[in-house]
Amino acid sequence: MVKAGTALKVFYSKMLHVMCAVHGLYRVAEQVRSHFSTVDKLIASVKPVFKKAPSRLQLFKNELPGVNLPPEPVITRWGTWINAGSYYCENIQAVRHIIGILDQEDAISIQKAKKCLDKPNLENNLAYIESNFSILSVAIDKLQAKNLSLATSLNIIENIEETLKTLNGEHGKPIYLKLKNILEKNSGLSKLKYISNILDGEENTNIGEFTCSDIVYFKYAPIVSVDVECSFSTYKTLLSDNRRKFKFDNLAKHLIIQCNTQGKHFKSLTFYLKFLKIIYWEIFFTALQDSDQSD
């Protein structure tokens, strides 16, 4: 992405390439996960215990009526592992109680879960994760919100940097260095900080290649690409096999519904229709090719 942004800079001199800040925080969260293998094994071992097991689920609800079921974090869903660590920090005694009731002869997952719960320093690691890294999942959720001002987004990143900077020990330092390395490579984010300072009223900041009229448009500049990535998943359904018999009018209505549900990724109905014409003709020519091959 950095090379692509550098190449496009030749054609768009005022283009500012910023790597997704949420993806950077996710990489830091993955660094946290790699440093706490005991907690990672606990989360992975408890996850299948209650999956597709109605009797165990019912037992959990009967024994612990006020406690939520253990989360099922997915690696590709940013921040879910940190949230799972927070859950076990809060409910470790309840989880230990319910796992202790279960018969370890019923499933291998129960045996693994019991072994993980008996490991030393487990609760210490959970407390360390909750007290120092829960801010990552909170920040990821905040940055994915819409209509954030540039100053607000940058403040979230700066708060994380200041928090992790104070960490010590064998786990804290490497994780902070990981964050620092990610931010240093994101040169576009550094330029946005200067622009944000100008918008906040600082007079001793150089605006560089941008004019004063350009700076105005950066007030709500996004530092994440989450909306774009989510839109890919939405729009790819239009190209699936069961969408080839859509009429153009129905296809337009379908896309508008999807965009309204996700928060209007496109700005105008005109853009909707231009996009739909491309999709429509692509589907049409694909159908022709399929019919030719069948003949």
Side-chain angles (χ1 to χ4, degrees), residues 26-36 174-175 178:
Y26 162 71
R27 292 173 59 192
V28 177
E30 281 295 284
Q31 185 78 2
V32 175
R33 186 171 73 93
S34 66
H35 276 265
F36 297 94
I175 293 170
K178 178 69 173 180

Side-chain angles (χ1 to χ4, degrees), residues 142-143 145-156 196 199-200 218-223:
K142 287 182 178 180
L143 288 172
K146 299 182 184 298
N147 301 323
L148 281 181
S149 66
L150 177 60
T152 303
S153 300
L154 292 176
N155 284 336
I156 294 173
S196 179
L199 294 174
D200 287 340
F218 282 92
K219 186 172 184 179
Y220 290 95
I223 63 172

Side-chain angles (χ1 to χ4, degrees), residues 28-292:
V28 177
E30 281 295 284
Q31 185 78 2
V32 175
R33 186 171 73 93
S34 66
H35 276 265
F36 297 94
S37 58
T38 303
V39 176
D40 190 32
K41 290 178 181 178
L42 171 67
I43 295 172
S45 61
V46 175
K47 180 179 177 180
V49 170
F50 300 98
K51 196 170 186 178
K52 297 181 181 179
S55 59
R56 296 175 198 158
L57 289 174
Q58 189 60 45
L59 178 63
F60 187 99
K61 294 177 182 178
N62 293 338
E63 291 289 330
L64 306 169
V67 180
N68 294 327
L69 289 168
E72 298 182 2
V74 180
I75 300 302
T76 54
R77 293 180 182 175
W78 301 337
T80 54
W81 190 90
I82 298 291
N83 291 334
S86 299
Y87 169 87
Y88 284 103
C89 179
E90 183 179 353
N91 301 293
I92 185 63
Q93 298 301 331
V95 173
R96 184 176 280 119
H97 168 71
I98 195 67
I99 295 295
I101 295 175
L102 298 175
D103 186 2
Q104 63 181 6
E105 300 298 328
D106 289 347
I108 297 177
S109 59
I110 299 176
Q111 298 177 14
K112 292 181 179 179
K114 288 187 175 183
K115 289 180 180 179
C116 291
L117 288 168
D118 292 336
K119 289 186 177 180
N121 297 325
L122 174 63
E123 296 187 20
N124 295 345
N125 290 338
L126 288 171
Y128 187 81
I129 293 171
E130 168 64 16
S131 61
N132 296 299
F133 303 117
S134 59
I135 189 175
L136 290 173
S137 61
V138 175
I140 288 173
D141 291 337
K142 287 182 178 180
L143 288 172
Q144 293 184 71
K146 299 182 184 298
N147 301 323
L148 281 181
S149 66
L150 177 60
T152 303
S153 300
L154 292 176
N155 284 336
I156 294 173
I157 299 297
E158 289 175 1
N159 289 337
I160 293 175
E161 189 175 8
E162 291 298 324
T163 301
L164 298 187
K165 190 176 182 179
T166 60
L167 298 181
N168 296 312
E170 58 177 336
H171 300 301
K173 288 292 184 181
I175 293 170
Y176 168 69
L177 291 176
K178 178 69 173 180
L179 175 65
K180 184 179 179 182
N181 184 43
I182 291 171
L183 294 179
E184 287 177 351
K185 288 183 177 180
N186 197 350
S187 58
L189 190 64
S190 301
K191 292 181 180 179
L192 283 180
K193 290 180 180 179
Y194 289 112
I195 294 173
S196 179
N197 292 337
I198 295 173
L199 294 174
D200 287 340
E202 293 189 14
E203 298 180 355
N204 296 325
T205 304
N206 185 12
I207 62 177
E209 69 270 24
F210 298 104
T211 64
C212 56
S213 60
D214 294 332
I215 297 295
V216 175
Y217 294 104
F218 282 92
K219 186 172 184 179
Y220 290 95
I223 63 172
V224 299
S225 59
V226 177
D227 284 348
V228 178
E229 294 180 19
C230 291
S231 67
F232 292 158
S233 300
T234 301
Y235 303 146
K236 73 178 181 181
T237 60
L238 298 175
L239 297 176
S240 60
D241 294 338
N242 59 347
R243 301 297 186 196
R244 292 186 177 180
K245 293 185 179 180
F246 257 171
K247 294 182 179 179
F248 182 77
D249 293 339
N250 293 336
L251 198 61
K253 295 174 183 177
H254 177 79
L255 182 60
I256 291 172
I257 291 172
Q258 292 289 341
C259 291
N260 287 338
T261 303
Q262 298 297 330
K264 296 183 180 179
H265 295 295
F266 293 123
K267 293 183 178 179
S268 66
L269 184 59
T270 304
F271 198 92
Y272 283 143
L273 297 177
K274 287 181 180 179
F275 179 80
L276 282 170
K277 286 179 181 178
I278 297 172
I279 297 295
Y280 180 80
W281 285 112
E282 184 173 348
I283 294 172
F284 177 74
F285 286 120
T286 304
L288 283 179
Q289 291 176 358
D290 292 344
S291 62
D292 292 340

